[in-house]
CSV table of all heavy atoms in Angstrom, one decimal:
chain,number,residue,atom,x,y,z
A,97,ASN,N,29.4,33.4,-38.6
A,97,ASN,CA,30.7,33.2,-37.8
A,97,ASN,C,30.6,32.1,-36.8
A,97,ASN,O,31.1,32.2,-35.7
A,97,ASN,CB,31.0,34.5,-37.1
A,97,ASN,CG,31.3,35.6,-38.1
A,97,ASN,OD1,32.0,35.4,-39.1
A,97,ASN,ND2,30.7,36.8,-37.9
A,98,LYS,N,29.8,31.0,-37.2
A,98,LYS,CA,29.6,30.0,-36.2
A,98,LYS,C,30.9,29.2,-35.8
A,98,LYS,O,30.9,28.5,-34.8
A,98,LYS,CB,28.6,29.0,-36.7
A,98,LYS,CG,28.9,28.3,-38.0
A,98,LYS,CD,27.7,27.5,-38.5
A,98,LYS,CE,27.9,27.2,-40.0
A,98,LYS,NZ,26.7,27.1,-40.7
A,99,ASP,N,31.9,29.3,-36.6
A,99,ASP,CA,33.2,28.6,-36.2
A,99,ASP,C,34.1,29.5,-35.4
A,99,ASP,O,35.3,29.1,-35.2
A,99,ASP,CB,33.9,28.1,-37.5
A,99,ASP,CG,33.0,27.1,-38.3
A,99,ASP,OD1,32.3,26.3,-37.6
A,99,ASP,OD2,33.0,27.2,-39.5
A,100,GLN,N,33.7,30.6,-35.0
A,100,GLN,CA,34.5,31.5,-34.2
A,100,GLN,C,34.9,30.8,-32.9
A,100,GLN,O,34.1,30.2,-32.2
A,100,GLN,CB,33.7,32.7,-33.8
A,100,GLN,CG,34.4,33.7,-33.0
A,100,GLN,CD,33.5,34.9,-32.7
A,100,GLN,OE1,32.8,35.4,-33.7
A,100,GLN,NE2,33.4,35.4,-31.5
A,101,LYS,N,36.1,30.7,-32.6
A,101,LYS,CA,36.6,30.0,-31.4
A,101,LYS,C,36.9,30.8,-30.2
A,101,LYS,O,37.0,30.3,-29.1
A,101,LYS,CB,37.9,29.2,-31.8
A,101,LYS,CG,37.6,28.2,-32.9
A,101,LYS,CD,36.7,27.1,-32.5
A,101,LYS,CE,36.6,26.1,-33.6
A,101,LYS,NZ,35.3,25.3,-33.6
A,102,LYS,N,37.1,32.1,-30.4
A,102,LYS,CA,37.6,33.0,-29.3
A,102,LYS,C,36.3,33.6,-28.6
A,102,LYS,O,35.5,34.1,-29.3
A,102,LYS,CB,38.4,34.1,-29.9
A,102,LYS,CG,39.7,34.3,-29.2
A,102,LYS,CD,40.5,35.4,-29.9
A,102,LYS,CE,41.8,35.6,-29.1
A,102,LYS,NZ,42.5,36.7,-29.7
A,103,GLY,N,36.3,33.6,-27.3
A,103,GLY,CA,35.2,34.2,-26.6
A,103,GLY,C,33.9,33.6,-26.8
A,103,GLY,O,33.7,32.5,-27.1
A,104,LYS,N,32.8,34.4,-26.7
A,104,LYS,CA,31.5,34.0,-26.9
A,104,LYS,C,31.2,33.8,-28.4
A,104,LYS,O,31.9,34.3,-29.2
A,104,LYS,CB,30.5,35.0,-26.3
A,104,LYS,CG,30.5,35.0,-24.8
A,104,LYS,CD,29.6,36.0,-24.3
A,104,LYS,CE,29.7,36.1,-22.8
A,104,LYS,NZ,29.1,37.3,-22.2
A,105,ASN,N,30.2,33.0,-28.7
A,105,ASN,CA,29.9,32.7,-30.1
A,105,ASN,C,29.2,33.9,-30.7
A,105,ASN,O,28.7,34.8,-30.0
A,105,ASN,CB,29.0,31.5,-30.2
A,105,ASN,CG,29.7,30.2,-29.7
A,105,ASN,OD1,30.8,30.0,-29.9
A,105,ASN,ND2,28.9,29.4,-28.9
A,106,SER,N,29.2,34.0,-32.0
A,106,SER,CA,28.6,35.1,-32.7
A,106,SER,C,27.1,34.9,-32.7
A,106,SER,O,26.6,33.8,-32.6
A,106,SER,CB,29.1,35.1,-34.1
A,106,SER,OG,28.8,34.0,-34.9
A,107,LEU,N,26.4,36.0,-32.9
A,107,LEU,CA,24.9,36.0,-32.9
A,107,LEU,C,24.4,35.5,-34.3
A,107,LEU,O,24.9,35.9,-35.3
A,107,LEU,CB,24.4,37.4,-32.6
A,107,LEU,CG,24.6,37.9,-31.2
A,107,LEU,CD1,24.1,39.3,-31.0
A,107,LEU,CD2,24.0,37.0,-30.1
A,108,HIS,N,23.3,34.8,-34.2
A,108,HIS,CA,22.7,34.3,-35.4
A,108,HIS,C,22.0,35.5,-36.1
A,108,HIS,O,21.6,36.5,-35.4
A,108,HIS,CB,21.6,33.3,-35.0
A,108,HIS,CG,21.0,32.5,-36.1
A,108,HIS,ND1,20.0,32.9,-36.9
A,108,HIS,CD2,21.4,31.3,-36.6
A,108,HIS,CE1,19.7,32.0,-37.8
A,108,HIS,NE2,20.5,31.0,-37.6
A,109,ASP,N,21.9,35.5,-37.4
A,109,ASP,CA,21.2,36.6,-38.2
A,109,ASP,C,19.8,36.9,-37.7
A,109,ASP,O,19.4,38.0,-37.6
A,109,ASP,CB,21.2,36.2,-39.7
A,109,ASP,CG,22.5,36.3,-40.4
A,109,ASP,OD1,23.4,36.9,-39.8
A,109,ASP,OD2,22.6,35.8,-41.5
A,110,PHE,N,19.1,35.8,-37.3
A,110,PHE,CA,17.7,36.0,-36.9
A,110,PHE,C,17.7,36.8,-35.5
A,110,PHE,O,16.8,37.6,-35.3
A,110,PHE,CB,16.9,34.7,-36.7
A,110,PHE,CG,15.5,34.8,-36.2
A,110,PHE,CD1,14.6,35.5,-36.9
A,110,PHE,CD2,15.2,34.3,-35.0
A,110,PHE,CE1,13.3,35.7,-36.4
A,110,PHE,CE2,13.9,34.4,-34.5
A,110,PHE,CZ,12.9,35.1,-35.2
A,111,THR,N,18.7,36.5,-34.7
A,111,THR,CA,18.8,37.2,-33.4
A,111,THR,C,19.0,38.7,-33.7
A,111,THR,O,18.4,39.5,-33.1
A,111,THR,CB,20.0,36.6,-32.6
A,111,THR,OG1,19.8,35.2,-32.4
A,111,THR,CG2,20.1,37.3,-31.3
A,112,GLN,N,19.9,39.0,-34.6
A,112,GLN,CA,20.2,40.4,-35.0
A,112,GLN,C,19.0,41.0,-35.7
A,112,GLN,O,18.7,42.2,-35.4
A,112,GLN,CB,21.4,40.5,-35.9
A,112,GLN,CG,22.7,40.0,-35.1
A,112,GLN,CD,23.9,39.9,-36.0
A,112,GLN,OE1,23.9,40.4,-37.1
A,112,GLN,NE2,25.0,39.4,-35.5
A,113,TYR,N,18.3,40.3,-36.5
A,113,TYR,CA,17.1,40.7,-37.2
A,113,TYR,C,16.0,41.2,-36.2
A,113,TYR,O,15.3,42.1,-36.5
A,113,TYR,CB,16.6,39.6,-38.1
A,113,TYR,CG,15.3,39.9,-38.9
A,113,TYR,CD1,15.3,40.7,-40.0
A,113,TYR,CD2,14.1,39.4,-38.5
A,113,TYR,CE1,14.2,41.0,-40.7
A,113,TYR,CE2,12.9,39.6,-39.2
A,113,TYR,CZ,13.0,40.5,-40.3
A,113,TYR,OH,11.8,40.7,-41.0
A,114,MET,N,15.9,40.5,-35.1
A,114,MET,CA,15.0,40.8,-34.0
A,114,MET,C,15.5,41.9,-33.1
A,114,MET,O,14.8,42.1,-32.1
A,114,MET,CB,14.6,39.6,-33.3
A,114,MET,CG,13.7,38.6,-34.0
A,114,MET,SD,12.0,39.3,-34.2
A,114,MET,CE,11.8,39.3,-35.9
A,115,ASN,N,16.6,42.5,-33.4
A,115,ASN,CA,17.3,43.5,-32.6
A,115,ASN,C,17.6,43.0,-31.2
A,115,ASN,O,17.6,43.8,-30.2
A,115,ASN,CB,16.4,44.8,-32.5
A,115,ASN,CG,16.3,45.5,-33.7
A,115,ASN,OD1,17.3,45.6,-34.4
A,115,ASN,ND2,15.2,46.1,-34.1
A,116,VAL,N,17.9,41.8,-31.0
A,116,VAL,CA,18.4,41.2,-29.8
A,116,VAL,C,19.9,41.4,-29.7
A,116,VAL,O,20.6,40.8,-30.6
A,116,VAL,CB,18.0,39.7,-29.6
A,116,VAL,CG1,18.6,39.1,-28.4
A,116,VAL,CG2,16.4,39.6,-29.6
A,117,SER,N,20.4,42.1,-28.7
A,117,SER,CA,21.8,42.3,-28.6
A,117,SER,C,22.4,41.6,-27.3
A,117,SER,O,23.6,41.6,-27.1
A,117,SER,CB,22.2,43.8,-28.6
A,117,SER,OG,21.5,44.4,-27.5
Side-chain angles (χ1 to χ4, degrees):
N97 297 315
K98 60 186 162 210
D99 297 324
Q100 178 179 319
K101 300 293 182 207
K102 230 179 180 180
K104 293 179 182 162
N105 297 319
S106 63
L107 294 177
H108 194 275
D109 286 346
F110 179 63
T111 304
Q112 294 175 10
Y113 178 77
M114 287 287 125
N115 288 323
V116 172
S117 58

